[in-house]
Amino acid sequence: MSRQPKLERFNNQVKSKYQVYNSLFMTLPFHGITDTGVLLPLFDRICTRGYDNKYNPEKIVNYFFEKYQRDVSEEDRYDLLFRFIQYIERQVVLFDAIEDSAYRTVNNMDGRGTLRNIKEEAEAQSKTEDLKAYLQDFKIRPVLTAHPTQFYPGAVLGIINDLSAAINDNNLEMIKKLLSQLGKTPFFKKEKPTPYDEAVSLIWYLENVFYKASSHIYNYLHQNVFKGEFFDNEVIDLGFWPGGDRDGNPFVTTEITLKVASRLRSTIIKNYYRDVRKLRRRITFNGTEEPLADLERRLFDSIAVKDAEVKVSLEELQSTLKRIRKLVIERHESLFLEEIDDLLNKITMFGYHFAVLDIRQDSRVHMHVMEEIVKQCAKDNLGIFPDNYLELDEAKQIEILQDVKGEVDPATLEDDIARKTLESVYAIREIQAQNGERSCNRYIISNNQTGLNVMQAFSMFHLTGWENPTVDIVPLFETVPDLKIAHEVMRKLYTNPAYAAHLKARGMKQTIMLGFSDGTKDGGYLMANWSIFKAKEELTKISREFGIKVIFFDGRGGPPARGGGKTHQFYASLGETIEDEEIQLTVQGQTISSNFGTPDSCQYNLEQLLSSGIFNGVFFQKTKAFPDADRSTMEELAEISYKTYSDFKAHPKFLGYLERMSTLKYYAKTNIGSRPSKRGKSDKLDFSDLRAIPFVGSWSQLKQNVPGFFGVGTAIEAFEERGEFDKVKSLYENSLFFKTLLENSMMSLTKSFFGLTAYMQDDPEFGAFWDLIHDEFERTKRMLLKLTGYSELMEEEQAGKASIQERERIVLPLLTIQQFALKKIQEMSREENPDQKKLDMFEKMVTRSLFGNINASRNSA
């Protein structure tokens, strides 16, 4: 099987199985499901042929009604469309489950980029010692975020997991039962989840997926690279945002933060308890039974503990297991030693915290909070700030903040946001006391623009009476202008005596976060990625100048437009001018379930991330990312692309198009996340208030994927028109960074389908704007095919392309229904007295259609 080409393995193990199991839906004993299952393929065929004949969605739906629903009432016709939506949602779940079940077969788990491949490569090149030395420091940190892009409710995720197992076992009876369960399980959430609900949902992945996959990787390194010798590096250091990410989410409270930290601790202790129980079934020798039984009992008693004390400390847990290990080696022939080592390795990785809970807040909030604190301190005569503090310039304020000390009681603050923000700082100290210093030791500042933003957060820790805070302050630079001056901001901080002393206490390490999502929204695809690359170079240079090890934390989303796509290949493309001792990145929404949803997919993708750093650090002689001549080409491409995208964004029809022709406003109605869908409170759409997720997701729903390509074609064509296409060709051939960008952009193009919205071309208000987008799509497609020499997009990734095409085929009827409903809404909005009941029904149809489309895309937001 493994010798078959990947595309053939996909066709046999995924596509063919889907066709077989999809027919089982027809046998389910539900009202109307047989009619739905019979009519949907007919509707699907009409959609395909309709778009081939350039019909619009309304004409396609009406043709279907006329042909197969002629004597059916309008109400029943629309009811059938809702049933189609429900049916297709479940087809997508089935496809997900089948693809998950075939993951190990379709993907070569021992191929390039896996740990086995790394080990064998090191042995072949006599670099095993180099590999061991590198692994003493290098680590990856995937950070699970609370962003609302996971459209599957928890119950459905459980069904996918069980369905995958049943498909692997060819258990037809269980498959039918699970499909029946799926038919009765709702996808739509009537109420928005709380931040704690989101945390619990993602902790499921930690408990059932990351715990297994991460330890499997660590055990492999321990046994096969270090040959049983323990090494002092956790390698995989999980991060967690739900319950700690306050940026734009007023529902995250201190109580929830503490509750999430407690849940993380109780979950990891529960996993340790289970492992100790398993261990007792194997380690049954003299001198081992009593200490293991004692550990089991005390871990069980610690699972639900709510106070600060667990019944067995982490140090005692480790030392007891090490004593048992020593006894097993000395007296019992090392029987089942690997099971003891497995648990010890897990404790090294996860401690009593499981994942590092980050706290994040916006710099604009900090500005407001500091004003409130200064006013309150003056009112209480605390003497912490001079009377004229708020009138001072930035340099003077920093000078005061670097020496500020005191203890401000949050309860004295009348302003709600100020109180909650200061409480979050106190919460960090409390969490560290309960779960260990690693549990919560980073404070991230969104929208960071100046050194003052960092010093305001820095001073808040000293205003809680925390003299030497064991916390890293992490500025997040997001927009193109902020990225350009990031190194200047850090220079000010590195030369500040108080901040420099803080860095020395933190091991001379500085984590800096860079945001792809808002960067792309702000500057377009090429400029966002190029700005981040250059910012990393400048930040590396300035940090090395001051003897500081900079660690980059990338705020990535799922799709290429938000920094997603081939993540491991992107990291492998960075040269000597960018520090890469750690790889840290956010993982969110469907990217969690699609790339890390099962132990197999999680292990594979974690290994790919590890390998991208290891190959750079061990096997390649580090050089510049590309020659200077190619660099100037990249610079010009980015500038042309940026101007093209900026002009597009400034188009007078841009916001109106998004607001009236896309699904943007319906994201808020899906109840998929606790966070508001935009930052501002105004009813009027403001671009600066738009969050990256609904922005990128709305283009995805339109099947236009603008943020992933707009400006790329125009930039390359500019070189072609002046006879310098060879310069772009040279850049493509010499730079893995540029090549990866374009391959990811090709994914965005592949997931686009302009036939769906071609009817907009005739719209009197937005027709010309649609043409503008479509022309850039065709231009970018033409230029990328010419540059790569491909005859079709994603030519060298046939299996990945086949998966995309199959998913797009499944949801084509769903997209048609969505556009049909949007077109009806647009028509009714022009009426003087529209039928409100019918308008509500069409809006519900649009909202309900979001789920299946998002889930099928797997990385669309």
Side-chain angles (χ1 to χ4, degrees):
M1 182 67 67
S2 61
R3 294 177 183 174
Q4 293 178 331
K6 190 173 182 179
L7 176 60
E8 196 171 329
R9 298 199 301 271
F10 173 83
N11 287 335
N12 291 337
Q13 295 300 312
V14 180
K15 191 172 180 179
S16 296
K17 279 189 176 181
Y18 172 74
Q19 291 167 353
V20 172
Y21 290 130
N22 187 39
S23 64
L24 291 178
F25 275 116
M26 298 278 288
T27 68
L28 299 181
F30 299 138
H31 169 69
I33 198 151
T34 303
D35 288 345
T36 308
V38 169
L39 290 169
L40 181 57
L42 300 174
F43 181 56
D44 184 30
R45 194 175 304 122
I46 286 173
C47 289
T48 304
R49 291 177 180 173
Y51 291 119
D52 287 343
N53 292 320
K54 302 194 183 323
Y55 290 173
N56 67 48
E58 186 175 23
K59 187 172 181 179
I60 289 170
V61 172
N62 288 336
Y63 178 81
F64 170 76
F65 284 156
E66 185 64 26
K67 191 171 178 65
Y68 297 107
Q69 299 279 286
R70 181 173 295 179
D71 300 322
V72 175
S73 69
E74 185 179 68
E75 185 179 352
D76 287 341
R77 286 178 174 185
Y78 294 147
D79 182 61
L80 177 63
L81 294 185
F82 276 106
R83 294 211 307 274
F84 280 167
I85 291 171
Q86 291 176 307
Y87 197 100
I88 295 166
E89 282 175 339
R90 285 149 181 82
Q91 286 181 313
V92 173
V93 170
L94 176 61
F95 192 86
D96 282 348
I98 292 171
E99 199 161 43
D100 284 347
S101 73
Y103 198 93
R104 183 168 283 273
T105 305
V106 173
N107 295 278
N108 187 352
M109 299 292 284
D110 294 320
R112 182 165 178 79
T114 63
L115 287 182
R116 180 174 174 177
N117 171 247
I118 289 168
K119 182 185 83 76
E120 291 174 352
E121 190 82 20
E123 290 171 346
Q125 296 186 32
S126 300
K127 289 192 171 184
T128 300
E129 290 305 312
D130 293 341
L131 175 60
K132 288 166 69 175
Y134 191 75
L135 285 170
Q136 292 287 0
D137 295 310
F138 178 70
K139 65 184 70 173
I140 61 173
R141 182 184 292 198
V143 179
L144 307 189
T145 78
H147 294 315
T149 54
Q150 178 51 266
F151 273 58
Y152 284 140
V156 176
L157 288 170
I159 293 171
I160 292 176
N161 196 272
D162 295 341
L163 195 52
S164 296
I167 290 166
N168 263 331
D169 297 337
N170 291 314
N171 188 339
L172 191 60
E173 186 62 30
M174 180 55 73
I175 291 169
K176 289 185 73 172
K177 285 184 176 180
L178 289 167
L179 290 178
S180 294
Q181 181 187 358
L182 193 62
K184 288 182 171 290
T185 302
F187 280 51
F188 188 75
K189 299 172 183 176
K190 292 181 180 179
E191 296 179 355
K192 290 172 75 70
T194 67
Y196 184 70
D197 294 333
E198 290 173 331
V200 170
S201 176
L202 289 190
I203 287 172
W204 184 92
Y205 286 98
L206 295 178
E207 180 179 359
N208 296 284
V209 180
F210 282 91
Y211 185 74
K212 298 173 184 176
S214 302
S215 62
H216 183 91
I217 290 170
Y218 196 97
N219 290 342
Y220 185 90
L221 293 173
H222 178 224
Q223 294 162 14
N224 296 283
V225 176
F226 288 88
K227 306 297 182 185
E229 295 177 20
F230 288 101
F231 56 107
D232 188 26
N233 181 23
E234 58 270 16
V235 181
I236 300 170
D237 189 21
L238 301 176
F240 203 74
W241 274 16
D245 182 10
R246 285 161 164 71
D247 180 17
N249 194 338
F251 307 113
V252 177
T253 64
T254 304
E255 182 186 4
I256 283 177
T257 302
L258 294 171
K259 197 175 173 184
V260 169
S262 178
R263 180 67 176 247
L264 285 165
R265 182 184 63 190
S266 65
T267 303
I268 191 60
I269 292 175
K270 180 167 62 175
N271 279 19
Y272 293 159
Y273 164 73
R274 289 169 179 161
D275 280 354
V276 168
R277 286 195 69 184
K278 291 176 188 174
L279 203 57
R280 284 193 66 197
R281 296 181 64 180
R282 295 289 175 262
I283 310 298
T284 55
F285 321 127
N286 285 336
T288 65
E289 283 195 335
E290 189 176 327
L292 276 176
D294 180 59
L295 280 184
E296 180 187 344
R297 183 177 61 255
R298 291 162 72 190
L299 284 170
F300 179 80
D301 291 341
S302 300
I303 290 171
V305 71
K306 291 183 179 179
D307 55 33
E309 278 189 48
V310 291
K311 305 302 179 185
V312 53
S313 71
L314 194 65
E315 294 73 20
E316 189 179 359
L317 178 61
Q318 285 178 307
S319 62
T320 303
L321 287 169
K322 285 178 180 178
R323 283 200 308 273
I324 293 169
R325 183 181 191 273
K326 187 170 184 287
L327 198 63
V328 167
I329 293 172
E330 292 176 351
R331 299 186 189 178
H332 306 294
E333 290 74 46
S334 298
L335 272 172
F336 300 113
L337 186 66
E338 60 275 14
E339 274 87 346
I340 302 174
D341 286 348
D342 171 58
L343 183 51
L344 281 167
N345 290 340
K346 286 170 177 171
I347 295 167
T348 297
M349 296 178 79
F350 307 123
Y352 268 172
H353 64 281
F354 212 160
V356 178
L357 181 61
D358 288 338
I359 307 297
R360 184 173 77 132
Q361 184 55 281
D362 192 286
S363 66
R364 290 163 291 194
V365 172
H366 290 151
M367 193 75 71
H368 169 75
V369 170
M370 285 307 300
E371 287 180 10
E372 293 299 317
I373 288 175
V374 170
K375 290 174 185 175
Q376 192 62 48
C377 288
K379 190 184 292 185
D380 295 340
N381 295 314
L382 297 180
I384 296 175
F385 296 91
D387 293 341
N388 65 338
Y389 173 83
L390 295 175
E391 284 75 51
L392 298 175
D393 61 21
E394 180 181 321
K396 289 290 185 183
Q397 285 191 0
I398 288 176
E399 196 177 314
I400 291 163
L401 289 175
Q402 71 184 16
D403 296 320
V404 78
K405 282 182 175 53
E407 191 160 354
V408 177
D409 183 355
T412 63
L413 298 172
E414 295 177 9
D415 184 83
D416 189 49
I417 293 176
R419 186 177 65 256
K420 286 181 178 178
T421 303
L422 195 59
E423 282 177 348
S424 70
V425 176
Y426 278 94
I428 293 174
R429 199 169 183 178
E430 187 175 339
I431 292 167
Q432 286 192 10
Q434 294 179 9
N435 298 2
E437 191 263 308
R438 278 174 63 198
S439 63
C440 187
N441 61 5
R442 302 204 305 189
Y443 194 99
I444 300 164
I445 308 162
S446 303
N447 190 45
N448 197 98
Q449 299 177 332
T450 66
L452 178 62
N453 295 152
V454 175
M455 291 306 292
Q456 284 171 337
F458 178 73
S459 67
M460 280 195 288
F461 285 89
H462 292 280
L463 290 171
T464 64
W466 200 350
E467 195 168 331
N468 297 302
T470 49
V471 178
D472 296 323
I473 311 295
V474 181
L476 165 53
F477 299 100
E478 300 180 73
T479 66
V480 172
D482 291 344
L483 288 165
K484 285 182 178 177
I485 62 166
H487 64 288
E488 296 172 12
V489 171
M490 295 315 298
R491 178 179 286 279
K492 285 183 182 178
L493 292 168
Y494 290 161
T495 54
N496 180 278
Y499 195 78
H502 173 70
L503 286 177
K504 187 174 182 181
R506 299 298 293 161
M508 295 299 282
K509 288 187 176 183
Q510 172 68 57
T511 302
I512 298 174
M513 190 173 179
L514 303 163
F516 282 82
S517 303
D518 282 304
T520 305
K521 182 170 80 77
D522 175 59
Y525 182 68
L526 279 186
M527 180 56 87
N529 282 277
W530 180 234
S531 295
I532 288 170
F533 185 92
K534 290 193 297 180
K536 283 184 175 180
E537 285 189 319
E538 292 293 337
L539 290 166
T540 297
K541 184 179 177 182
I542 192 73
S543 298
R544 287 174 178 172
E545 181 185 329
F546 285 89
I548 294 162
K549 180 72 71 174
V550 67
I551 297 163
F552 295 115
F553 176 20
D554 292 317
R556 292 176 172 270
R562 298 187 58 237
K566 295 181 178 179
T567 310
H568 56 278
Q569 192 166 307
F570 174 85
Y571 284 113
S573 72
L574 305 178
E576 64 179 357
T577 55
I578 292 178
E579 205 72 72
D580 60 354
E581 187 177 282
E582 292 188 26
I583 290 176
Q584 298 189 8
L585 73 163
T586 54
V587 187
Q588 56 198 2
Q590 319 121 303
T591 313
I592 298 174
S593 55
S594 60
N595 289 356
F596 303 93
T598 67
D600 282 344
S601 63
C602 185
Q603 180 190 328
Y604 181 81
N605 284 295
L606 288 176
E607 288 190 19
Q608 292 291 316
L609 267 182
L610 275 168
S611 73
S612 66
I614 291 170
F615 273 108
N616 265 345
V618 177
F619 298 110
F620 297 145
Q621 182 66 40
K622 282 192 176 182
T623 57
K624 288 183 177 180
F626 30 69
D628 290 341
D630 291 327
R631 185 185 182 91
S632 63
T633 302
M634 182 72 227
E635 182 73 49
E636 189 174 355
L637 284 168
E639 288 293 344
I640 296 170
S641 175
Y642 181 49
K643 184 181 185 312
T644 305
Y645 179 78
S646 297
D647 290 346
F648 170 70
K649 203 172 61 172
H651 193 286
K653 298 299 179 186
F654 181 84
L655 285 178
Y657 185 82
L658 269 178
E659 192 168 26
R660 288 160 51 195
M661 307 300 276
S662 83
T663 59
L664 181 68
K665 68 181 181 181
Y666 299 97
Y667 268 77
K669 300 178 181 181
T670 55
N671 292 330
I672 54 166
S674 67
R675 196 168 71 163
S677 59
K678 64 188 185 75
R679 289 185 173 89
K681 295 180 180 179
S682 171
D683 290 335
K684 185 181 177 183
L685 183 62
D686 187 310
F687 185 77
S688 63
D689 287 340
L690 266 181
R691 291 197 176 279
I693 290 168
F695 174 73
V696 174
S698 296
W699 291 113
S700 173
Q701 293 283 326
L702 284 169
K703 289 298 162 189
Q704 294 177 0
N705 292 322
V706 160
F709 70 83
F710 203 93
V712 176
T714 295
I716 299 174
E717 190 181 63
F719 278 77
E720 180 193 48
E721 287 177 346
R722 63 180 193 235
E724 295 181 339
F725 187 77
D726 59 313
K727 289 185 176 181
V728 186
K729 189 76 174 174
S730 172
L731 173 64
Y732 178 76
E733 290 172 350
N734 293 333
S735 169
L736 181 59
F737 171 77
F738 184 60
K739 188 174 184 180
T740 302
L741 286 186
L742 296 193
E743 287 180 358
N744 283 339
S745 188
M746 273 193 264
M747 186 187 295
S748 292
L749 294 171
T750 301
K751 290 185 176 184
S752 298
F753 175 51
F754 278 81
L756 180 72
T757 56
Y759 71 91
M760 295 181 186
Q761 198 170 14
D762 300 323
D763 187 273
E765 184 176 357
F766 296 108
F769 189 74
W770 185 93
D771 282 335
L772 181 70
I773 299 168
H774 183 245
D775 289 348
E776 184 64 14
F777 167 82
E778 291 293 346
R779 184 181 295 111
T780 303
K781 181 180 176 181
R782 181 180 73 82
M783 296 314 305
L784 292 188
L785 290 178
K786 179 178 180 179
L787 185 61
T788 59
Y790 295 166
S791 58
E792 60 181 32
L793 295 171
M794 295 182 70
E795 189 175 289
E796 292 188 351
E797 299 171 76
Q798 290 298 319
K801 185 174 182 179
S803 176
I804 290 171
Q805 289 175 333
E806 191 65 21
R807 289 172 176 278
E808 296 297 319
R809 188 196 64 74
I810 292 170
V811 296
L812 184 63
L814 197 60
L815 291 163
T816 304
I817 292 168
Q818 182 184 93
Q819 285 300 318
F820 166 76
L822 279 171
K823 200 164 187 298
K824 287 291 187 183
I825 292 167
Q826 291 156 17
E827 290 170 0
M828 293 181 74
S829 66
R830 290 191 282 267
E831 297 174 7
E832 282 190 26
N833 297 300
D835 182 335
Q836 191 59 47
K837 185 177 179 182
K838 188 179 281 190
L839 187 62
D840 291 344
M841 183 271 296
F842 282 126
E843 290 194 335
K844 182 181 178 184
M845 194 177 285
V846 173
T847 304
R848 290 292 289 110
S849 65
L850 290 172
F851 293 77
N853 292 334
I854 286 284
N855 289 327
S857 296
R858 282 210 151 182
N859 70 347
S860 61

